[in-house]
Amino acid sequence: MTLNWKQVGQYGFIMGIAVWYVSLVGMVETFDSRGIIDGTMLTLGRALLLTIGLGMGYVTAWKVAKGNWATGLITSLISGIIGGVMAALLVIIIDTTNIRAMFVNASPALVEILTFDQESLAVGLMMLAGSLIACSVAGGVIALLPHLIRRAVISGLLAVLLMGMLGELLTVVLNRFDLTEALADFLYGRNGLSVIGAISVFIFFAAVSTLWATQKEKMQSGVENLPATQRRALSWGLIVVSVLFLILLPQAVGPYISQILVLVGLYAMMGLGLNIEIGLAGLLDLGFVGFFAIGAYTVALMTTTGELGVSGTAIADYSNFWVAIPIAVAVSAFAGVFLGIPVLRMRGDYLAIVTLGFAEIIRILVLSDFLRPILGGAQGVLNIPKPAVAYVNQIANQLPFYFQSVLFFFVSTDGRIKDPAHFYYIILIGCTLIGFVAYRLQYARIGRNWMAIREDEDVAEAMGINLIASKLLAFGIGAAFAGLSGAIFAAQVGSVFPHSFGLIVSINVVSLVIIGGSGSIPGVIVGSLVLVGLPELLREFAEYRLLIYGALLIVMMLVRPEGLWPSDTVRREMQSDEDVEPVPVGQTVPRSV
Amino acid sequence: MALLEVDNVHSYYGNIHALKGISLTVEKGEIVTLIGANGAGKSTTLKTISGIVRPRLGSVRLAGEDLSAFPAHEIVGKGLSQVPEGRGVFARLTVMENLEMGAYIRDDAKQIATDIERVFNIFPRLKERQKQVAGTLSGGEQQMLAMGRAMLARPKVLLLDEPSMGLAPILVEGIFDTIQAINEEGTTVLLVEQNALMALQIAHRGYVIQTGEIVLQDDAKALQKNEMVQKAYLGVD
Ligand SMILES: Nc1ncnc2c1ncn2[C@@H]1O[C@H](COP(=O)(O)OP(=O)(O)O)[C@@H](O)[C@H]1O
Ligand SMILES: [Mg+2]
């Protein structure tokens, strides 16, 4: 067997370049303050390097050796050596020449991290190269393991990485309750997981993953074989448990994470809207933030107590958050249809560019002097009151004492929502509502229209589908969801500024839809948790957010183009690519086109 | 009155005058074929009939009703169902889902189910593969699927655009046999083909189109013997 040595060299080279890159842009140093495993030298910064080693070793063995152990080990070793030597070279360059003029991050601190804090440079270099080589070989071994074990090892490693990374937060959360405090003490040291904690986490998640992989089908068929009444009871039970879970979640995780969940929810609502346009109807809309802005400004202008508000006009008495919400949704939906009309005939890239322009127009209009007297220009709209529950005291008087205290836990005596984190509940209701509507639409007739249009517009028309109505509906409903999200956002933040509605919001939403799994409702939720939630939890990431997005998008498109939680259609397509049924001999049909 | 009447139709793509006064008729129960070279305007004729391209002049009537007032998606409901050039199956949907899309304009679920069975009788291959994703079917199977799907709209006239295109020669014969079978079941067919030899064998009547104009029309048998047709389309010299 001749091996493709050039390919092996390339993977090693990519490993080296990646190490250089993350080091020189400062990621390694920034991430280094976070420990993964306490008392060891494994910090997040170094974990990043080692993950590159593992990943490239994995790819090398996977692509070149194709299941052959001997070649897999040798090739991942060689690509590891190339990567390791390149990493060592970087340290030598930084140490001997002054390249800081060009690369500010090539600092002595970086050298210390790369050389594992060793006094002697030689020892440090050995450790750096050695650890990369070891990781590369380990990656190769993982790639060669049987499927089930490989899955378990990867799950375990990911869990350790993630739980180590989020250690600070998880300890705070676990320490909120006596019951879980002991668990926190067991799992965590001062900076990251304790060694024994890391081992336990690894074993636990590896076991869970294996159990899940082996028992999933048995469980599914077990559930399917239950009598109908029991199955109904089970699904109701699940619903009740998850509702309770969602209601109690903010109490369990505390205000900081609740605020993050609020943000995740806002993005999830937008994601569900954009998912209708991109995921179902195949309309690539890059200006989605425009509808979010329209919803936000509608609520802002209708409810603000500032000078831009409606106070003093005839409708002032009737204007509050609850009235403004449906109006904001309607205005956004109208804007969606309005934008939809001129772009009906456009497809793909053209549509993307026009929608991009639309969002910029909205932003620039809001910023303009011309509309400043109405929209407030760069100063935005301030003093947006928190939503209030009307007649709160009258309601409270009717309630038994215990429920009174529950009520006043959330709202103050004038009926206003007390804590920004309590917006969680409004958003939970919003998400549930939107999720439900999205689900019903997807499986209704209109959902099939969208799917057909996404697959092939011309054929869809030939089937008798009204393209114009279906597309406008997709734009309108998508925009309405975004409008609701924007409306809640305005009330939650209390002020709106044009700079909150930049292109980056659209990019975030497109990314979360695609990474979550285009066309899949749970995918959108998972996507928002990963792309919006995680970066908020890891504030050091902020600076590198777009970089990580980009890398993540590329990696996802390469290894899992269907997304984290793909829709049925896409899942099926991926499976059928892998195992097309062989056509029996004798009736082979030459494949044309 | 013929079932489908195309009367002096002129169609344009921008400034390109693609159809220069096409007239043709299809009687109930017939297979009529429209043959012509590449770029002659065959597909444009079908697209004009089904409303995807709008004629600047002339009219299309189905069972006496002028179709010019209706958008393309409503024309399907009037009883014209087109199998587009290059098949155009929904590649990521299953065979069954594709067939169901064909019955999109109908809401008689029971009747649809029996019609799907009917399609499966004509194309047993599709029945075997009903859960398979359409994109992974072979070229011939995709053509069958596209035809079966078009039949599910219960068209008065089935419009076929080069069903033999891109198929291996052994499969072409099968496709034409099926067209004949569909016709014998009672569906009227307007068949556009470059493969004049095969088309004229199954058709009742034929038209020859050249650069947007009908240059010849006759019974299929007569066209087969026509010297000009033999030279230009049947490769006989
Ligand atoms: N979308 C289009 N835009 C511009 N010209 C077109 C388009 N489609 C077809 N044409 C032109 O119209 C004429 C007829 O094309 P067509 O009906 O596709 O021919 P056929 O189906 O007989 O091969 C050709 O000259 C072709 O170039
Ligand atoms: Mg053609």
Side-chain angles (χ1 to χ4, degrees):
Chain A
M1 190 170 114
T2 55
L3 279 176
N4 189 345
W5 290 110
K6 191 173 153 219
Q7 210 179 355
V8 176
Q10 274 171 358
Y11 290 135
F13 187 69
I14 293 174
M15 187 193 303
I17 291 288
V19 168
W20 283 12
Y21 186 76
V22 293
S23 303
L24 291 178
V25 298
M27 275 169 101
V28 171
E29 202 182 327
T30 319
F31 290 3
D32 205 60
S33 57
R34 222 175 254 267
I36 299 287
I37 300 179
D38 188 43
T40 67
M41 283 180 292
L42 190 63
T43 58
L44 185 54
R46 290 190 186 116
L48 182 64
L49 297 176
L50 300 184
T51 311
I52 293 172
L54 269 173
M56 290 317 296
Y58 184 99
V59 173
T60 311
W62 184 259
K63 294 275 184 189
V64 183
K66 307 203 167 72
N68 183 317
W69 271 91
T71 45
L73 289 179
I74 295 173
T75 51
S76 59
L77 176 71
I78 290 172
S79 83
I81 291 175
I82 297 173
V85 168
M86 281 177 71
L89 201 63
L90 174 70
V91 176
I92 296 172
I93 293 172
I94 296 175
D95 201 55
T96 52
T97 55
N98 187 4
I99 57 169
R100 286 199 79 173
M102 226 187 303
F103 300 103
V104 248
N105 294 305
S107 61
L110 175 66
V111 172
E112 261 173 42
I113 298 165
L114 290 176
T115 54
F116 291 84
D117 304 326
Q118 297 302 311
E119 292 285 326
S120 139
L121 188 66
V123 177
L125 288 177
M126 300 284 275
M127 284 183 70
L128 174 64
S131 61
L132 270 171
I133 294 168
C135 279
S136 179
V137 174
V141 170
I142 294 175
L144 295 163
L145 286 171
H147 176 74
L148 211 59
I149 306 178
R150 184 171 70 225
R151 209 186 131 108
V153 171
I154 293 177
S155 311
L157 285 178
L158 274 178
V160 169
L161 189 65
L162 214 61
M163 292 201 43
M165 226 152 71
L166 299 176
E168 213 176 310
L169 262 154
L170 288 175
T171 28
V172 171
V173 171
L174 291 174
N175 280 334
R176 284 167 63 88
F177 306 95
D178 297 339
L179 208 65
T180 49
E181 213 180 324
L183 183 64
D185 290 344
F186 172 71
L187 287 180
Y188 286 103
R190 261 169 308 136
N191 190 11
L193 292 161
S194 61
V195 175
I196 181 86
I199 295 172
S200 316
V201 167
F202 180 87
I203 293 175
F204 179 77
F205 281 93
V208 167
S209 139
T210 313
L211 263 181
W212 177 246
T214 50
Q215 305 298 315
K216 188 170 94 181
E217 281 179 13
K218 218 186 271 175
M219 266 164 54
Q220 275 171 352
S221 66
V223 170
E224 270 159 31
N225 289 334
L226 283 177
T229 48
Q230 281 185 38
R231 217 163 55 201
R232 271 250 290 285
L234 190 69
S235 59
W236 273 111
L238 275 179
I239 289 173
V240 170
V241 168
S242 28
V243 166
L244 274 180
F245 172 78
L246 286 172
I247 289 177
L248 295 177
L249 190 60
Q251 313 306 319
V253 296
Y256 178 62
I257 296 186
S258 300
Q259 292 247 37
I260 292 176
L261 287 174
V262 164
L263 198 64
V264 169
L266 288 171
Y267 270 98
M269 280 193 248
M270 275 195 275
L272 288 170
L274 190 63
N275 187 44
I276 288 186
E277 293 183 13
I278 292 184
L280 299 186
L283 304 163
L284 184 52
D285 182 348
L286 293 185
F288 207 59
V289 68
F291 308 124
F292 181 70
I294 289 171
Y297 266 92
T298 309
V299 161
L301 293 173
M302 283 187 67
T303 62
T304 176
T305 54
E307 51 190 287
L308 296 168
V310 292
S311 57
T313 66
I315 59 166
D317 285 347
Y318 307 102
S319 194
N320 65 44
F321 177 74
W322 308 106
V323 175
I325 281 268
I327 294 177
V329 171
V331 171
S332 308
F334 179 76
V337 174
F338 187 73
L339 167 75
I341 292 170
V343 301
L344 273 174
R345 303 206 170 281
M346 292 177 190
R347 296 180 191 190
D349 348 11
Y350 301 101
L351 178 64
I353 297 296
V354 173
T355 49
L356 197 65
F358 160 77
E360 276 303 285
I361 290 171
I362 298 258
R363 200 177 60 84
I364 289 167
L365 269 182
V366 172
L367 271 173
S368 70
D369 282 341
F370 170 62
L371 288 175
R372 192 198 184 96
I374 306 171
L375 301 177
Q379 271 77 50
V381 185
L382 309 173
N383 298 325
I384 304 165
K386 299 275 170 275
V389 182
Y391 308 115
V392 69
N393 290 307
Q394 286 90 322
I395 295 172
N397 283 337
Q398 305 292 319
L399 292 173
F401 177 73
Y402 176 72
F403 289 107
Q404 272 183 30
S405 51
V406 171
L407 180 63
F408 285 115
F409 179 77
F410 294 116
V411 298
S412 52
T413 43
D414 65 351
R416 303 249 170 242
I417 288 185
K418 264 196 209 157
D419 185 332
H422 290 154
F423 265 90
Y424 172 86
Y425 293 103
I426 293 184
I427 282 168
L428 187 60
I429 295 171
C431 277
T432 314
L433 196 76
I434 282 182
F436 179 72
V437 173
Y439 179 84
R440 294 306 295 257
L441 287 172
Q442 183 166 353
Y443 293 100
R445 197 176 167 80
I446 182 69
R448 295 219 305 187
N449 292 8
W450 289 331
M451 204 158 67
I453 291 174
R454 179 192 68 200
E455 298 297 318
D456 192 324
E457 267 185 34
D458 298 325
V459 184
E461 190 169 29
M463 300 293 100
I465 288 170
N466 186 340
L467 292 186
I468 294 179
S470 305
K471 282 191 184 181
L472 289 184
L473 209 59
F475 276 118
I477 292 172
F481 289 2
L484 179 59
S485 179
I488 300 177
F489 170 78
Q492 188 239 342
V493 178
S495 49
V496 293
F497 307 102
H499 75 78
S500 313
F501 307 104
L503 174 63
I504 186 69
V505 179
S506 298
I507 294 178
N508 275 340
V509 185
V510 173
S511 312
L512 75 86
V513 168
I514 291 172
I515 288 183
S518 192
S520 149
I521 292 173
V524 169
I525 312 284
V526 173
S528 354
L529 281 170
V530 171
L531 283 196
V532 181
L534 271 188
E536 290 296 319
L537 292 178
L538 301 160
R539 286 255 129 232
E540 300 97 309
F541 279 21
E543 206 180 327
Y544 301 102
R545 194 166 179 152
L546 284 178
L547 183 63
I548 295 173
Y549 269 28
L552 199 60
L553 273 170
I554 293 173
V555 170
M556 283 291 292
M557 289 308 108
L558 287 176
V559 302
R560 209 179 153 84
E562 68 269 38
L564 293 171
W565 190 317
S567 67
D568 293 343
T569 313
V570 178
R571 197 191 307 253
R572 225 169 33 204
E573 185 194 12
M574 289 296 156
Q575 278 165 1
S576 66
D577 275 359
E578 279 159 23
D579 45 45
V580 183
E581 297 162 46
V583 181
V585 191
Q587 15 178 318
T588 35
V589 188
R591 186 138 170 211
S592 44
V593 179
Chain B
M1 181 183 68
L3 181 54
L4 178 68
E5 295 168 292
V6 177
D7 188 18
N8 189 30
V9 157
H10 290 257
S11 292
Y12 291 77
Y13 293 105
N15 288 328
I16 301 170
H17 195 171
L19 299 187
K20 302 165 186 157
I22 297 281
S23 299
L24 58 84
T25 58
V26 182
E27 300 287 343
K28 192 160 188 289
E30 271 188 320
I31 299 181
V32 171
T33 183
L34 179 64
I35 54 181
N38 207 354
K42 303 182 298 295
S43 297
T44 308
T45 307
L46 284 197
K47 285 181 189 160
T48 307
I49 294 173
S50 58
I52 294 167
V53 171
R54 291 278 154 192
R56 214 175 272 182
L57 217 76
S59 69
V60 177
R61 283 189 300 279
L62 183 68
E65 185 177 17
D66 191 343
L67 297 180
S68 56
F70 300 100
H73 66 268
E74 284 180 25
I75 289 177
V76 183
K78 298 279 169 200
L80 280 177
S81 182
Q82 188 183 352
V83 177
E85 197 169 6
R87 302 183 272 281
V89 297
F90 295 113
R92 298 202 295 176
L93 305 190
T94 61
V95 168
M96 196 55 163
E97 285 167 338
N98 265 278
L99 291 175
E100 284 165 0
M101 284 308 306
Y104 175 82
I105 47 161
R106 299 167 52 185
D107 47 14
D108 45 345
K110 271 215 189 94
Q111 192 58 45
I112 291 173
T114 48
D115 282 1
I116 288 181
E117 274 312 308
R118 212 179 106 215
V119 168
F120 283 155
N121 280 337
I122 303 175
F123 306 106
R125 196 95 177 116
L126 293 183
K127 183 166 189 158
E128 289 164 31
R129 310 201 154 232
Q130 50 181 296
K131 293 218 178 78
Q132 192 172 323
V133 177
T136 62
L137 295 176
S138 72
E141 290 162 344
Q142 289 190 12
Q143 184 62 50
M144 296 176 197
L145 179 57
M147 282 171 33
R149 191 182 57 191
M151 284 171 65
L152 279 166
R154 291 209 142 198
K156 296 194 178 96
V157 182
L158 182 62
L159 308 173
L160 298 174
D161 196 348
E162 300 207 35
S164 73
M165 191 173 70
L167 290 187
I170 29 161
L171 293 172
V172 170
E173 209 155 327
I175 286 291
F176 282 101
D177 286 346
T178 349
I179 296 170
Q180 207 159 18
I182 292 171
N183 177 249
E184 275 159 15
E185 272 212 329
T187 309
T188 309
V189 176
L190 175 56
L191 168 65
V192 156
E193 261 302 338
Q194 272 194 68
N195 189 337
L197 181 66
M198 297 295 293
L200 288 173
Q201 275 176 22
I202 63 162
H204 301 103
R205 292 188 299 117
Y207 292 83
V208 178
I209 182 171
Q210 251 172 31
T211 55
E213 285 171 293
I214 301 283
V215 292
L216 207 58
Q217 64 182 83
D218 212 333
D219 279 352
K221 293 264 158 22
L223 281 179
Q224 276 175 314
K225 294 192 190 103
N226 182 293
E227 204 176 316
M228 188 272 251
V229 174
Q230 286 194 340
K231 247 193 176 147
Y233 304 107
L234 302 179
V236 182
D237 29 31

